[in-house]
């Protein structure tokens, strides 16, 4: 089968290239924007502008969320299925010895787009229904085994109950994956049956299940080989591109023009390589499914019933003039990309440092000792977590209980401030800190006033009373309005505070997002490193928002985030962050530029970079 797919791709690669370009143009201008608008419609119906962290779970538990999953998920899958349909049609046409005109392929598939959408929507709905019982069991196990204490205790201490939960939930998820794989494999022939036999979506799914049943595990095995082969190809391509960059960039720093040319050329090569890798992955999948369809569905030697007759297309002929034109155009594109890239890179570090929970590397988190150490280490801000005690005092604590930091399961909202302050929260870190007690927000503000800014994270565990108002009252009591910022995982909490004090700087904290975060009605976005891509940071800055990134505790990642242009590093080790900034200051402009290019282009770190 592997050799058959390779021969099939070789016989029609130029046509595949042309039709994939047509599809990507259509997807960029029509399909993807339509799906995005559809998702925004569901968000507006739910009263939200963005979905992040806890909001995702709340959205999915609502009927509107489930409807969005099915319809929008069907739209997303339809975009992928349409690309597969285009490529599969070319591959099967080549196997049938037809000369294919790319424009006719596009028309042929476009005429069936509505049917493809109905097919993918049904697939998403059936997948969701299959996964639902497994997810319910996994959620039940989580609630039964891991909710006696704050989740951070389980993640840190990893007691036997944690490993029991991991084993049981992991088993459930593996069973779900097997069930989904088995079911999805039954639909391997649904798309070609819809395209070439004219079956309706429901008929195509039913007929595919009947025809694929005897061959399910062979289909699964073939797809596994395809996935492994493409992963290996991608790894080799990345290695070759990194080697090319390592060879080209260091020798191109003599003048700004050679650097512009080298950067532009590298970007062009990277773009072309990524496009080719994507085309090979998608086309090989389409060819594989098409060959499986011919082997197990059609009778030997029978032509596809609904395959249209197209005019001939012999591909693009390479002439001397066309080659010269391509080189000139490619050189101009490389020069423009090089200039734009260098202009977008700042070789000055404009980043501030925030001590996460006061800096939890050298002192116990959220303690006065940690805040004093953060000030000594030169942090610009300290980040603290605030909640309300049972008697309405705003105390500084991250978890819902003290199980992790004190071995005490008491819930913050079930104890008075005095009771909470009687508990040792530093001894777990070191015997030197057994005198540390839970601070109040009032104490922290008194310590930090005029010494360091305070980033106040509002924690919501479903037991708040007047948290926002109490925070406002304390900040104004110390006249520190210009020395604090507020953030939270809960967008509704931030909205409440913004309603109280519209001029205060507030941010949304998030680790996961499924929408455009830059549309959030906040002043800054605090995201983890996986979300802090160059494109996201640029988009946030264009939207007038600053970007903080958490929790960055190693020198290499710190330098990477600084190179991408983040405005604030949230770290457990502010002293290390200061050291990284000092090391970067010793680098000359070309070295700093090379460092930033290495990060942005995914190349190896140059010598002398912070490690």
């Amino acid at each position: 089968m592997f050799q058959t797919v390779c021969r099939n791709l070789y016989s029609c690669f130029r046509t595949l290239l042309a039709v994939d370009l047509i599809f990507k143009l259509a997807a960029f201008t029509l399909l993807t924007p339509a799906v995005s608008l559809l998702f925004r419609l569901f968000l507006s119906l739910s009263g939200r502008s963005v979905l992040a962290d806890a909001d995702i779970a709340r959205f999915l538990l609502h009927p509107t969320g489930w409807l969005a999953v099915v319809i929008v998920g069907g739209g997303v899958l339809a975009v992928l299925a349409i690309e597969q349909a285009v490529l599969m049609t070319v591959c099967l046409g080549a196997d049938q010895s037809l000369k294919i005109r790319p424009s006719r392929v596009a028309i042929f598939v476009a005429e069936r787009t509505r049917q493809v959408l109905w097919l993918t929507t049904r697939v998403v709905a059936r997948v969701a229904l299959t996964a639902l019982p497994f997810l319910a069991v996994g959620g039940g196990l989580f609630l039964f085994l891991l909710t006696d204490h704050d989740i951070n205790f389980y993640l840190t201490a990893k007691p036997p109950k944690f490993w029991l939960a991991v084993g049981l939930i992991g088993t459930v998820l593996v069973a779900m994956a097997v069930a989904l794989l088995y079911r999805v494999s039954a639909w391997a022939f649904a798309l070609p049956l819809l395209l070439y036999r004219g079956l309706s979506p429901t008929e195509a799914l039913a007929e595919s299940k009947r025809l694929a049943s005897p061959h399910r595990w062979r289909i699964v095995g073939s797809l596994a080989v395809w996935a492994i082969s493409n992963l290996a190809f991608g790894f080799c391509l990345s290695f070759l591109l990194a080697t090319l960059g390592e060879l080209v960039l260091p020798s191109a720093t003599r003048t700004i023009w050679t650097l512009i040319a080298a950067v532009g050329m590298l970007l062009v090569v990277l773009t072309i390589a990524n496009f080719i890798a994507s085309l090979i992955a998608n086309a090989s999948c389409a060819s594989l499914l098409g060959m499986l369809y011919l082997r197990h569905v059609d009778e030997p030697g029978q032509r596809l019933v609904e395959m249209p007759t197209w005019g001939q297309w012999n591909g693009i002929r390479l002439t001397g003039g066309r080659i010269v034109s391509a080189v000139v155009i490619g050189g101009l594109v490389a020069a423009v990309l090089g200039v734009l890239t260098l202009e977008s890179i700042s070789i000055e570090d404009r980043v501030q440092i925030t001590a996460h929970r006061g800096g939890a590397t050298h002192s116990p988190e959220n303690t006065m000792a940690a805040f004093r150490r953060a000030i000594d280490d030169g942090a610009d801000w300290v980040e603290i977590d605030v909640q309300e005690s049972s008697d309405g005092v705003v105390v500084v604590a991250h978890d819902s209980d003290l199980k992790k930091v004190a071995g005490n399961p008491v819930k913050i909202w079930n104890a008075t401030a005095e009771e909470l302050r009687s508990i040792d929260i530093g001894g777990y870190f070191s015997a030197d800190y057994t005198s540390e007690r839970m601070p109040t927000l009032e104490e922290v503000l008194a310590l930090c006033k005029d010494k360091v800014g305070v980033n106040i994270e509002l924690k919501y565990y479903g037991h708040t009373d007047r948290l926002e108002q109490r925070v406002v009252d304390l900040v104004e009591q110390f006249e520190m309005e210009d020395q604090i910022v507020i953030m939270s995982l809960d967008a509704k909490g931030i909205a409440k505070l913004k309603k109280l004090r519209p001029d205060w700087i507030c941010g949304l904290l998030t680790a996961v997002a499924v929408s455009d975060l830059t549309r959030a009605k906040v002043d800054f976005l605090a995201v983890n490193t996986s979300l802090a891509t160059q494109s996201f940071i640029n988009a946030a800055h264009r939207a007038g928002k600053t970007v903080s990134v958490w929790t960055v505790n190693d020198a290499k990642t710190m330098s990477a985030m600084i190179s991408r242009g983040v405005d604030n590093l949230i770290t457990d080790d502010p002293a290390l962050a200061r050291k990284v900034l000092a090391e970067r200051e010793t680098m000359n402009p070309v070295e700093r530029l090379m460092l930033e290019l290495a990060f942005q282009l995914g190349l190896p770190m140059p010598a002398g970079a912070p490690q």
Side-chain angles (χ1 to χ4, degrees), residues 444-518:
V444 175
L445 293 177
L447 171 69
C448 296
K449 181 176 173 63
D450 298 327
K451 299 185 185 74
V452 67
V454 183
N455 183 335
I456 304 171
E457 181 185 343
L458 307 177
K459 303 298 290 188
Y460 294 95
Y461 292 106
H463 297 271
T464 55
D465 180 19
R466 297 173 55 245
L467 180 61
E468 301 87 8
Q469 185 62 61
R470 286 176 169 138
V471 168
V472 167
D473 292 342
L474 285 168
V475 170
E476 292 181 340
Q477 175 186 324
F478 283 89
E479 299 180 346
M480 292 180 64
E481 295 91 334
D482 60 345
Q483 298 179 44
I484 62 97
V485 297
I486 309 291
M487 69 179 184
S488 179
L489 286 162
D490 193 315
K492 291 182 178 179
I494 291 298
K496 287 180 184 178
L497 197 138
K498 270 290 191 182
K499 189 173 182 181
L500 292 172
R501 295 295 182 271
D503 296 333
W504 284 21
I505 298 175
C506 296
L508 180 65
L509 178 68
T510 184
V512 182
V514 293
S515 53
D516 183 4
L517 277 179
T518 64

Side-chain angles (χ1 to χ4, degrees), residues 364-604:
E365 66 178 51
N366 278 322
T367 61
M368 297 300 286
F371 305 140
R372 286 190 290 267
R373 174 66 184 260
I375 294 171
D376 292 340
D377 286 341
D380 299 296
W381 299 83
V382 294
E383 184 267 343
I384 65 174
D385 308 280
V386 298
Q387 307 176 49
E388 291 169 304
S389 63
S390 65
D391 54 345
V393 176
V394 182
V395 294
V396 178
H398 179 274
D399 297 351
S400 61
D401 58 37
L402 297 181
K403 186 67 174 176
K404 184 186 76 173
V405 298
N408 192 321
V410 61
K411 297 293 185 182
I412 304 300
W413 58 84
N414 285 336
T416 65
E418 184 178 353
E419 291 169 338
L420 293 169
R421 288 169 61 80
S422 68
I423 301 170
D424 167 21
I425 63 167
Y428 80 96
F429 188 89
S430 167
D432 296 333
Y433 296 99
T434 54
S435 63
E436 291 298 320
R437 297 295 183 264
M438 181 180 294
T440 64
L441 176 58
E442 184 176 3
E443 290 175 313
V444 175
L445 293 177
L447 171 69
C448 296
K449 181 176 173 63
D450 298 327
K451 299 185 185 74
V452 67
V454 183
N455 183 335
I456 304 171
E457 181 185 343
L458 307 177
K459 303 298 290 188
Y460 294 95
Y461 292 106
H463 297 271
T464 55
D465 180 19
R466 297 173 55 245
L467 180 61
E468 301 87 8
Q469 185 62 61
R470 286 176 169 138
V471 168
V472 167
D473 292 342
L474 285 168
V475 170
E476 292 181 340
Q477 175 186 324
F478 283 89
E479 299 180 346
M480 292 180 64
E481 295 91 334
D482 60 345
Q483 298 179 44
I484 62 97
V485 297
I486 309 291
M487 69 179 184
S488 179
L489 286 162
D490 193 315
K492 291 182 178 179
I494 291 298
K496 287 180 184 178
L497 197 138
K498 270 290 191 182
K499 189 173 182 181
L500 292 172
R501 295 295 182 271
D503 296 333
W504 284 21
I505 298 175
C506 296
L508 180 65
L509 178 68
T510 184
V512 182
V514 293
S515 53
D516 183 4
L517 277 179
T518 64
R519 297 176 64 241
K521 297 177 181 179
V522 292
D523 304 296
F524 70 94
L525 299 165
V527 300
N528 69 2
T529 54
S530 63
L531 293 179
T533 62
Q534 186 69 61
S535 58
F536 170 79
I537 294 167
N538 291 342
H541 288 167
R542 286 194 298 271
K545 296 173 173 58
T546 59
V547 177
S548 301
V549 61
W550 56 269
T551 303
V552 190
N553 291 329
D554 66 277
K556 183 177 180 180
T557 307
M558 287 177 181
S559 195
M561 294 298 106
I562 295 169
S563 292
R564 292 177 186 176
V566 299
D567 304 282
N568 198 304
L569 284 178
I570 302 177
T571 175
D572 288 324
D573 195 348
L576 177 62
R578 282 288 169 213
K579 181 182 177 183
V580 169
L581 282 171
E583 290 178 354
R584 289 171 62 91
E585 282 200 12
T586 64
M587 304 174 73
N588 62 47
V590 172
E591 290 173 331
R592 292 164 64 83
L593 188 60
M594 293 293 294
L595 175 63
E596 297 187 14
L597 286 172
F599 282 124
Q600 291 195 19
L601 301 179
L603 302 175

Side-chain angles (χ1 to χ4, degrees), residues 24-70:
K24 283 182 167 52
L25 179 63
F28 179 76
T29 57
L30 297 173
L31 301 178
T32 303
V35 173
S36 178
L37 287 173
L38 187 62
F39 182 65
R40 290 187 182 183
L41 173 62
F42 278 104
L43 277 185
S44 64
L45 291 175
S46 69
R48 298 173 172 87
S49 58
V50 297
L51 282 184
D53 286 305
D55 266 349
I56 297 174
R58 285 193 285 266
F59 179 72
L60 293 178
L61 291 175
H62 192 275
T64 302
W66 275 97
L67 189 61
V69 168
V70 173

Side-chain angles (χ1 to χ4, degrees), residues 300-421:
Q302 180 179 350
R303 286 183 177 270
L304 298 176
V305 175
E306 296 295 333
M307 180 67 75
T309 303
W310 291 301
Q312 292 189 354
W313 185 72
N314 297 319
I316 299 173
R317 293 180 58 193
L318 293 179
T319 63
R322 288 176 177 174
I323 292 174
V324 171
S325 299
V327 170
V328 171
I329 292 172
L332 291 174
V333 170
V336 171
L337 287 175
V339 171
L340 292 176
T341 300
L342 294 183
E343 284 186 350
S344 69
I345 292 176
S346 171
I347 59 175
E348 294 183 16
D349 295 337
R350 300 185 182 93
V351 66
Q352 293 186 317
I353 298 170
T354 294
H356 181 240
R357 304 181 198 174
T361 296
H362 303 292
S363 305
E365 66 178 51
N366 278 322
T367 61
M368 297 300 286
F371 305 140
R372 286 190 290 267
R373 174 66 184 260
I375 294 171
D376 292 340
D377 286 341
D380 299 296
W381 299 83
V382 294
E383 184 267 343
I384 65 174
D385 308 280
V386 298
Q387 307 176 49
E388 291 169 304
S389 63
S390 65
D391 54 345
V393 176
V394 182
V395 294
V396 178
H398 179 274
D399 297 351
S400 61
D401 58 37
L402 297 181
K403 186 67 174 176
K404 184 186 76 173
V405 298
N408 192 321
V410 61
K411 297 293 185 182
I412 304 300
W413 58 84
N414 285 336
T416 65
E418 184 178 353
E419 291 169 338
L420 293 169
R421 288 169 61 80

Side-chain angles (χ1 to χ4, degrees), residues 5 9 13 16 84 87 91 278-288:
V5 169
L9 293 178
F13 192 77
L16 287 171
Q84 284 292 293
L87 298 174
C91 291
S278 172
L279 175 61
I280 289 174
N282 293 326
S284 59
C285 181
S287 178
L288 174 62

